Structures are given as C-alpha cells and as structure tokens.
Amino acid sequence: MSTAKDKDTHKTVEDSAKTDAKAKSPKTAEDSAKTDAKAKPKSKAKKAAAGKSGVQQFEYQAELKQLLHLIIHSLYTHPEVFLRELISNASDALNKVRFRMLTDPNVLDAEAKLNVRITLNSEEKSITIEDSGIGMTRDDLIKRIGTVASSGTMEFVQQLKAQKDQKIDANLIGQFGVGFYSVFMVTDEVTIETRHADPDSQGYRWHSSGEGTYTIEEIDKPTRGTRIYFKLKADADEFAEEQRIRHIINKYSNFVDFPILLNSQEVNRVEALWHKQKSELKEEQLNEFYKFVSNDYQDPMGHLHLSIEGSVNFKALLFIPQTAPPLHLRHEDDRTVHLYTNKIFIQDDCKDLLPEYLRFVKGVVDTEDLPLNVSREVTQSSPAMVKIRSILTNKLLGLLEDWAKNDPAKYQRFYKTFAPLFKLGLNTDFSNRERLVDLLRFESTVTEDGDVTSLKNYVSRMGSEQKEIYYLSGEKRELLLRNPNLEYFRKKDIEVLLLSDPIDVFILPGIGQYQEKQLKSIDKADIDLQRDADETERLSENLSKSLIDVFKETLGDRVENVQESKRLVDSPATLVVGDSGMDAQMEKMMKMFQQDFSGSKRILEINTAHPLIKNLARMNLADSADPLLRKAILQVYDGALLLEGSLSAPSEFVQRMTDLMVEATKG
Ligand code: ADP
Ligand code: MG
C-alpha cells in the first residue's frame, strides 16, 4: 500500500482502487518494486538509493512541490483541459521525431505510424495516452518532468493560493510550462513509460502520486515514444466515457496534425487548413471549415488566408459570414475567432484578436508566439497579441476595400449586413479612421432606392458652387424624401445624403469634414443657401417682419426663433435647429436613451412665397388680433412637428383642424 504518502484528503477507497489498478498493470514485478520504494521513508537526496529492481526515488523540486499540492487540492473549471495538455505534449513529441527523421533516418521504429492513441477503460475508469513521438531519456524525465522551467512559478503559486476557495480556471495551469501536471486534476497517480527515439535508448517507467516524490526505473520497452497511464479520481470518472472524450478532442484538438485514435478509431478529422498553401485549398474545403468553426449553415461571404512572418508569426484563416446572427443570438453565441498555438486549441472566442467592430469575423488564428494554455488575462495584454490584432485589422480592412473597389455589389451586401457594428469602428479605432470613413456608405437623393454611395463618390458629383456635404437623418427613406428641408436642395439639384441608420447621426458629426468639406445636417439653420434672383414673388420685408412678430408672440417659448426661410419651395413652414443644437433625429435618439432629455428649442422657418403664409400676412394686416390667425399659426407649427415625426399632442392638432374646417366650410 502507498502508505508513505503524506496526503491527508484522499480516501481509502481510492487508495485501494489505486492498488487494484496497479495489480492489473502488466508489469507486476516492477510495480511491487515501486510500492516498496514508496513505502520507504521519504528520501531527501535527489538520487536516493535504488530499490531492489533499479527503482529510484526522487524528490520534487521545492517550487514544484508547492505547485503540485495546489493543483491536487483545488477545484477547477474546465478540468477537461488535462487532455488537451497531454495530447499537445504528444503532438510536440511527434513533431520532434518527424523533424528529426527529415535529416536522420536512423531512429528507433523508423517505420512506426505517427499518431496518438487514447484508450479508455470504462470498467477500470482509466485512460492511456500513447504516442510514437520522440520519447524521453532518463535525464528528460528528471529535468523536464520533475523540474519546472519557468521562473514565474512562485508567482503562479501565489496566484493560486490567493484564489483559495474559488474554482480555478484550469487554463492557468499550463501557463508556466507545467501542463503535464494538469493531469493531477483528474487522477491521484500517474505512470509514464517512455523510450527515446535514439536507436540505443533505454525504456523507463516514471511514477508519481504528485505529492512529494516520484520514482524512475528501467523497463523493457521495445517501441519508441511515450505511454501515459492513470486511473481517474472518483469525481472525474466522466472522463472514462468515450463520448465525453471524443467531444473534448473535437473541441480542443481537432486540428492536431497527427491522427488521434480513440479506442482504435480516428477522431480528429479536420485538417489544419490554415497551415496549407493558398493554392492547395479548394473552395469546398474552405466552406466546410467555415461551417465547422462558425456553426453557420451557409457558406461564407468571403475569406482571408494569411501567413505572416516577421516580428510576430501567425497563420490565420478568417471568414466574413453571409448574414449576421439573429439579434437574440448575437450575445449568446459569441464565437468569434478561435485561437490556436501550433494547431493546439486555446480559446474559441478570443475577443482580443480583433477590435469590437470586426467581431462578425469568424475563423482561426494560429501563432507560435503565445505560450500554449495562456490565460485570458495574458492574451489580452501580450505584445504578440497586440501586433496580431493590428495586422488582422489591417488585412480585413484591405479585404473590404478590395470588395468596395472591385465588387461593389458584394461590398454593398456586406455593408447592409454588418454596417451597424462595423461603423462603430469610427468611434474607437482612430488609427484606421480615414480608411473607415472611406468605407462608409449612405443612401442619398441621387442613389436609387436601396443603393448607396461613398463620400468619395458624393464629392465627385458635387458642383463647383457646392462647398459642403449635406445630409438629412430620419427614420426611413420615404419619410426623409418628404421632409420640407429638402425642397431647396432638390430644386437646386444638390445631392443630400439620407441617413436612415440611427447610428449615422452620431457618426457623421464626429467625422466633421471629408476632403476639407464640412459635413452639414440640412436640419441646421446656419446653412449658407443662395437664393435665385428670379424667384417667385415673396412678401415684402415689412409684411413678413410683422407676420414673424405675430408668429413669435403666438408660439412663445415653444420655439427659439421664427425666421424667413430660404430652403422652402413648396411647404409653408419647417423646423430647423440652431447652430449648437442637435438635429431632430439625434434628439429623438437621445430621448430614447434618456427619459428626461430635453432637447434644444427649434427655429421655425416660414416660406414667404407660399400662398398660406401670404394669406396670413394679409389677415395680419387687416386684424392682427384675429383668433383665426392665431389658430392657423399654431396649426402651421404643429404641422411642421408632425412632418418630422415629433408631434406629441395629436388630439389638439385634430381639434384645431376641425375648427378650421368648420370655418372654411361655413359658406
Ligand atoms: P511544456 O509542454 O509546456 O513544455 P509540460 O509540462 O506539458 O510543459 O511538459 C513538460 C515537458 O515534458 C515537455 O516539454 C517535454 O519535454 C516532456 N514531455 C511531456 N510529455 C511528453 C511526451 N508525450 N513525449 C515526450 N516528451 C514529453
Ligand atoms: Mg505541454
């Protein structure tokens, strides 16, 4: 029995189970030797006296002891990552032997298949992971398994200690180059049997219960590679289920470059496409891969395949979907870009790889420049991550620019689908601001319904007289086209951008100017409008001034001012905004966010060429106290409110209209 252990938490049931496990293991003689070794009082020296059949006991390095103690006695989220760690080590070892064989065919089992074999024994609740990789020498077992390489280990230990009673994210464990030990999350003791690929190598068995000591002995192992065997702890026996393990492999290790066999069946079917040459990839493969990473059922709209070497090294295969996920799923299914290091899965929603406004992009990034098992906190701030993010952003914008230039219809489809998110980049990504501005698209009075224009094209259509870029914002195109403030521009053939996406009202004022031309809302009072000399007859200055006074008096503090309009052609009146005010649409948005938001007062502009205004001027001349005149003025004002969609008292409006009709139909 393994009585020498100083563990205090383990139950005798498990201990006896362990003993059973050992009894079932083929090499019983050596096992009992091991047990003997352990039964001895704790030895101090590294190479303690050898046991009967060459079993040597070693003590873990002090830091590692502490670390292991914590690993063993903590609770975890994601304990399943132990499997990823072991497969990753096997994959590393296979890579190493493959590399060596490129130049040196003189290795043990040169013909052996390169693969990882996982065997589950559901009765025994045990797992065996075996690879035909490079294997380990005795020295490797001591220096690489029994020692921690990272100088930050103590820091990590402190971090784990500080988390005391909370569950620890198992992803933290591998961070300090001790991924192998994550196996102690799910087992009490582990056996490694290994033999190095050198033809004259010797096989070894390493065994440990994680705390205190480990043993090494020589064994007779005919094949190269490493075999790791352990029995699962009672609270981890779910990992003896084939389904569960298959699922974990699919999740974390699907793109490992070597076949993974689970109970003799190959499970990782998806190739690491991003490691291939562009010319090798068929569209079908790409589409299939996209569906795999995104959970989408449609083909992507387009993709980007990158292989970057330089100050940061990575490969990426990124996709732009056809459609945005339905609104209600947008936050739940937040799978964005999967992060891999050397084909080993790290995170499936690595948010730090892309700025927020490009989060509709799906795919895979695989870099050698981040440690495997890096924690989320580390990924975020690592300089490699910052560089990758900037390169990806740059390349994605390049792809969109290419579409915009060479396939405008596609770009327009992209834009319609993702603009609401994409446009937010203007408020956050200042380093790419100019490029983003050029990628904006708007409807306008010139574009066909549903078509859009860039600011660049707008400017190219501007007449020589026109100094500013004009826009009008509101709910939808049809409503916008009815806005009286457009009349002047329509008459003069001046193009006006029609902004029907609520976000645009917030974005355009922020852009300020494009190619040195101010962007101006035509809702604003301070637009410099030139009036033609040959205009229809207007009220004289006197008449109009006197009428304006009555308007002001009647409307009181409903308005900031009343003035003669230059922009109206067919309508009697319109509301505009003072220089410092928000335009109507923006104000409406603000009210939605903030209940008690009180917008600025508006300016009422009247069309002194309009018959109604002329009639009112005549009434005013006859009797400025005429109640009908006052009623009509209020109605003109409410009518302007109604048109822009901000009339708040429709019943009064209708009542007044009824009164006016009674008056008009009196006969
Ligand atoms: P890391 O993989 O980050 O180096 P691990 O704790 O996972 O840290 O593994 C420690 C070391 O043990 C590895 O670097 C490798 O040298 C050795 N090792 C682990 N598993 C295997 C294996 N299956 N084959 C060969 N060497 C292995
Ligand atoms: Mg490892």
Side-chain angles (χ1 to χ4, degrees):
M1 287 288 288
S2 44
T3 44
K5 282 186 290 175
D6 54 1
K7 266 187 261 179
D8 43 18
T9 54
H10 290 292
K11 298 176 186 65
T12 38
V13 187
E14 281 159 11
D15 274 349
S16 57
K18 258 177 292 176
T19 316
D20 287 347
K22 262 182 265 157
K24 276 180 197 151
S25 170
K27 281 145 193 139
T28 33
E30 276 143 1
D31 270 354
S32 59
K34 225 184 328 176
T35 314
D36 284 353
K38 267 202 235 138
K40 272 192 277 184
K42 274 176 264 171
S43 68
K44 274 151 221 110
K46 244 198 160 192
K47 286 181 189 173
K52 284 191 280 225
S53 51
V55 180
Q56 281 192 308
Q57 182 166 321
F58 298 83
E59 218 164 317
Y60 283 114
Q61 196 193 6
E63 285 110 315
L64 192 50
K65 257 191 212 171
Q66 286 202 41
L67 181 63
L68 284 171
H69 184 83
L70 281 163
I71 289 177
I72 290 165
H73 298 286
S74 301
L75 292 171
Y76 297 92
T77 63
H78 314 301
E80 75 275 10
V81 303
F82 82 88
L83 189 65
R84 168 181 75 181
E85 291 302 327
L86 297 181
I87 292 176
S88 142
N89 286 347
S91 165
D92 288 349
L94 288 161
N95 267 322
K96 280 181 196 155
V97 82
R98 181 164 69 182
F99 184 73
R100 174 161 162 171
M101 284 194 294
L102 290 177
T103 51
D104 174 14
N106 189 25
V107 296
L108 190 65
D109 303 334
E111 303 300 315
K113 284 198 178 116
L114 297 176
N115 60 21
V116 185
R117 299 178 298 279
I118 301 175
T119 315
L120 305 178
N121 184 328
S122 52
E123 243 170 76
E124 202 185 69
K125 308 275 183 224
S126 71
I127 302 186
T128 306
I129 299 177
E130 195 165 3
D131 65 65
S132 45
I134 191 84
M136 282 180 273
T137 62
R138 184 173 183 280
D139 215 38
D140 288 338
L141 284 171
I142 295 167
K143 293 219 174 98
R144 304 196 183 218
I145 297 278
T147 320
V148 279
S150 166
S151 54
T153 311
M154 285 322 282
E155 201 182 294
F156 177 52
V157 167
Q158 297 311 328
Q159 220 172 307
L160 287 186
K161 275 188 181 160
Q163 297 201 3
K164 229 179 182 167
D165 297 324
Q166 297 159 20
K167 284 193 169 182
I168 292 172
D169 184 346
N171 279 302
L172 281 168
I173 295 178
Q175 200 180 319
F176 293 87
V178 291
F180 168 75
Y181 286 103
S182 63
V183 71
F184 284 108
M185 291 188 290
V186 296
T187 186
D188 292 323
E189 52 187 308
V190 181
T191 304
I192 303 175
E193 291 176 357
T194 187
R195 184 171 170 192
H196 195 266
D198 285 338
D200 58 352
S201 66
Q202 165 68 46
Y204 293 97
R205 177 178 300 127
W206 176 100
H207 178 92
S208 178
S209 57
E211 278 183 304
T213 60
Y214 61 90
T215 58
I216 296 179
E217 69 193 287
E218 286 188 5
I219 56 165
D220 190 17
K221 186 178 188 298
T223 52
R224 98 175 169 234
T226 303
R227 177 177 176 270
I228 295 174
Y229 167 86
F230 51 91
K231 276 192 78 158
L232 292 159
K233 289 202 269 202
D235 63 0
D237 60 7
E238 64 191 286
F239 298 115
E241 281 165 37
E242 196 172 315
Q243 276 312 317
R244 180 86 168 98
I245 292 293
R246 186 185 305 272
H247 185 78
I248 298 169
I249 295 171
N250 283 331
K251 176 167 181 196
Y252 290 102
S253 312
N254 227 334
F255 304 110
V256 167
D257 218 8
F258 305 95
I260 300 173
L261 305 168
L262 174 58
N263 291 344
S264 302
Q265 267 187 316
E266 193 170 324
V267 281
N268 60 326
R269 289 304 316 162
V270 187
E271 284 175 288
L273 293 190
W274 59 91
H275 277 271
K276 300 199 160 198
Q277 298 291 322
K278 276 183 204 188
S279 55
E280 283 180 79
L281 291 179
K282 294 199 198 73
E283 187 164 336
E284 267 167 41
Q285 277 175 301
L286 286 168
N287 290 348
E288 194 185 317
F289 177 70
Y290 164 73
K291 288 171 191 167
F292 175 83
V293 286
S294 66
N295 272 357
D296 198 349
Y297 61 94
Q298 303 174 92
D299 291 340
M301 192 182 294
H303 79 277
L304 196 61
H305 187 179
L306 300 174
S307 180
I308 304 289
E309 280 168 28
S311 64
V312 64
N313 302 290
F314 66 93
K315 293 186 163 52
L317 196 46
L318 300 180
F319 298 88
I320 296 179
Q322 296 273 2
T323 49
L327 212 53
H328 64 283
L329 290 179
R330 223 158 271 183
H331 291 288
E332 280 168 38
D333 179 48
D334 219 352
R335 292 171 58 150
T336 51
V337 177
H338 300 210
L339 176 65
Y340 282 76
T341 90
N342 283 326
K343 298 180 189 171
I344 305 292
F345 176 86
I346 308 278
Q347 282 179 29
D348 63 2
D349 56 344
C350 189
K351 303 218 163 60
D352 310 313
L353 282 167
L354 290 173
E356 173 124 28
Y357 71 97
L358 294 176
R359 293 255 166 91
F360 50 86
V361 172
K362 312 272 177 187
V364 168
V365 172
D366 190 339
T367 178
E368 302 151 25
D369 296 341
L370 287 172
L372 178 68
N373 227 337
V374 68
S375 76
R376 280 167 198 260
E377 294 70 32
V378 171
T379 30
Q380 215 167 28
S381 55
S382 98
M385 191 60 120
V386 172
K387 278 187 206 148
I388 294 173
R389 177 180 160 123
S390 138
I391 294 173
L392 291 179
T393 305
N394 179 32
K395 297 283 181 185
L396 281 163
L397 292 182
L399 177 72
L400 297 175
E401 283 160 351
D402 178 56
W403 289 356
K405 191 164 169 235
N406 301 313
D407 192 350
K410 186 176 200 171
Y411 183 68
Q412 198 157 317
R413 259 193 297 135
F414 158 79
Y415 197 79
K416 284 229 173 90
T417 313
F418 296 107
L421 183 61
F422 179 66
K423 278 188 262 194
L424 296 178
L426 277 163
N427 293 338
T428 49
D429 187 357
F430 300 106
S431 57
N432 286 303
R433 204 174 155 73
E434 273 174 39
R435 297 174 75 184
L436 288 169
V437 169
D438 271 322
L439 284 165
L440 289 175
R441 294 293 179 271
F442 307 98
E443 290 191 50
S444 86
T445 48
V446 166
T447 62
E448 299 288 321
D449 191 358
D451 250 353
V452 288
T453 178
S454 62
L455 288 176
K456 200 168 168 188
N457 286 341
Y458 176 101
V459 169
S460 73
R461 287 188 291 264
M462 276 170 67
S464 55
E465 309 271 274
Q466 191 183 336
K467 302 277 178 294
E468 296 169 330
I469 298 172
Y470 299 112
Y471 65 88
L472 176 64
S473 55
E475 255 160 72
K476 50 184 167 192
R477 189 181 171 96
E478 307 124 69
L479 278 183
L480 287 170
L481 287 173
R482 265 185 255 146
N483 191 308
N485 289 355
L486 268 180
E487 289 168 5
Y488 172 89
F489 298 89
R490 200 177 276 131
K491 190 175 148 210
K492 297 266 184 171
D493 258 337
I494 297 173
E495 182 173 358
V496 176
L497 300 173
L498 301 173
L499 315 185
S500 47
D501 181 349
I503 293 166
D504 288 340
V505 231
F506 291 97
I507 283 174
L508 281 218
I511 297 173
Q513 49 174 291
Y514 179 78
Q515 293 188 3
E516 287 161 28
K517 294 174 177 64
Q518 290 290 327
L519 279 92
K520 275 257 162 99
S521 162
I522 66 163
D523 273 348
K524 294 266 185 143
D526 66 338
I527 298 188
D528 181 24
L529 303 168
Q530 304 295 323
R531 192 178 267 162
D532 294 338
D534 64 327
E535 270 219 314
T536 27
E537 226 175 279
R538 293 190 170 267
L539 289 176
S540 71
E541 212 170 299
N542 270 350
L543 282 181
S544 94
K545 192 177 171 301
S546 150
L547 179 64
I548 283 172
D549 286 343
V550 186
F551 262 86
K552 284 185 188 166
E553 194 196 309
T554 310
L555 296 174
D557 48 326
R558 289 183 181 85
V559 292
E560 187 188 300
N561 200 5
V562 178
Q563 62 195 36
E564 195 183 333
S565 180
K566 293 180 189 170
R567 75 186 82 213
L568 292 173
V569 179
D570 303 316
S571 303
T574 190
L575 285 162
V576 297
V577 199
D579 306 352
S580 56
M582 295 180 178
D583 64 15
Q585 181 67 5
M586 193 190 277
E587 213 168 278
K588 241 188 272 168
M589 296 278 301
M590 293 305 290
K591 279 182 187 150
M592 269 167 53
F593 293 129
Q594 236 176 294
Q595 293 288 304
D596 56 348
F597 182 85
S598 64
S600 53
K601 279 188 211 158
R602 320 290 301 282
I603 296 169
L604 183 74
E605 285 192 358
I606 56 172
N607 180 359
T608 51
H610 194 278
L612 173 62
I613 300 299
K614 285 181 181 168
N615 287 351
L616 295 181
R618 218 174 304 119
M619 283 174 82
N620 180 36
L621 200 60
D623 174 10
S624 69
D626 188 340
L628 186 60
L629 172 62
R630 312 267 151 170
K631 208 169 263 183
I633 288 175
L634 286 172
Q635 201 67 354
V636 165
Y637 170 71
D638 272 5
L641 281 178
L642 181 63
L643 265 186
E644 68 163 39
S646 37
L647 180 68
S648 56
S651 58
E652 281 173 38
F653 179 80
V654 171
Q655 182 57 53
R656 228 184 282 117
M657 185 174 72
T658 311
D659 292 352
L660 288 168
M661 290 201 300
V662 167
E663 200 69 32
T665 53
K666 209 154 54 178

